[in-house]
Amino acid sequence: MNAASRKIQRIYLTLTLGNTLAASFIWGINTLFLLDAGLSNLEAFAANAFFTAGMVLFEVPTGVIADGWGRRVSFLLGTVTLSASTYLYYLLWLFSAPFWSWAVVSVLLGLGFTFFSGAVEAWLVDALRFSGYEGGLEPVLGRGQMVSGVAMLGGSVAGGVIAQATDLGVPFLLRVGVLVALFLVAFWLMRDVGFTPERSAHPLRATRAVLSASIENGLKNPPVRFVMLAAPFSAGVGIYVFYALQPYLLELFGDPRAYSVAGLAAAIVAGAQVLGGWIAPRLRRLVRKRTTVLILSSLGSSVILVVLGFTRVFWVALVLLALWALVASAGTPVRQAYLNDMIPSRQRATVLSFDSLMGSSGGVVVQPALGRAADVYGYPASLAISGVIELIAVPFLLASRRQLPPADQANASTSTPNAESQPS
């Protein structure tokens, strides 16, 4: 790395640290927070489903903002929207609000996250290319995941301990405070380089154009399409499992108010994320194709979830949780690099947002369905079912592999082939 690209990486890691720290204060206790507010398992995961529905609804419009107004503008809007909607969430808990209000505010939370999805990663890749960086994406994205894991580790443990020492609402207020600070940091440090926004006087027309570009460079590009079609199953399961493990581990532990245990679960995932980010570029050197890593990650996650569904021992469940998180985390930077090497720079943020939309759409269906399974059959059965659903992603990843895209064997380069150059 030269000096300019090192500076870009430092800014990226700083933004990743702040964003993940803010989010992770509630990750260890979110499900407990919803259940404490009087919601059933079905309602709690339905609220999460409305959150992912908000992401589905707003991914493309916020992609227009990121590609049309700038990735910096999109990031700043995300901090404002997420801090405001998080505070509303706290008020709903404080006043034991009815379910419909949780659904509305959950959609607003989803809107806040869509301003981030795609924008930061697109900003990083374009800025690195502009700075003259010629190395691979996996090491940089892996470092980002490691920093994110460290932030998640600290935030989730702190959130669980603070909730146990005070109440379940305080971590939400901490998130608001960190997001306000992050707005100031991003306003000072973040600048769009290597990318010129193309503003339109007609937002609806711009939205249609961006959606068309997303489809053209995403769903109509076979290797990208199949990776995106796998996302609803893997991402939907991942969201459910992460939040379902909170009450499940407390159930195994035998103390429903041991919120620090829920924080510990999130911390284990965070630690695995750090290790996975370190492993990813090294694992990439051992295999010829990126899809090999993705397929093995999906198969491994599926098997671990099925085994976890038959576990009744707390410490064994923690070990399986760590393995599941490690396997999933090791594949994430490889998947990001694979997609980025197949997406043109001009539509990068939009196509990445569309990929996030596909994952969120799976969460809309999977979360309430598995939440209902937890109500009827218990958490263990719902986790085993999650493993079966995860398996559905594997044929799509195999289909992407069969398209023989250059990005599958790319030597971790930041060069971005045009969509038209990909074999069909």
Side-chain angles (χ1 to χ4, degrees), residues 124-149:
L124 168 70
V125 175
D126 288 335
L128 283 176
R129 293 182 63 204
F130 180 79
S131 70
Y133 175 67
E134 296 179 354
L137 286 177
E138 279 98 340
V140 181
L141 293 170
R143 290 184 196 111
Q145 182 170 293
M146 292 172 71
V147 167
S148 178

Side-chain angles (χ1 to χ4, degrees), residues 392-416:
I392 302 175
V394 174
F396 292 108
L397 297 173
L398 287 169
S400 179
R401 181 189 182 92
R402 284 196 292 268
Q403 304 305 311
L404 304 177
D408 200 8
Q409 300 186 64
N411 188 24
S413 170
T414 55
S415 61
T416 306

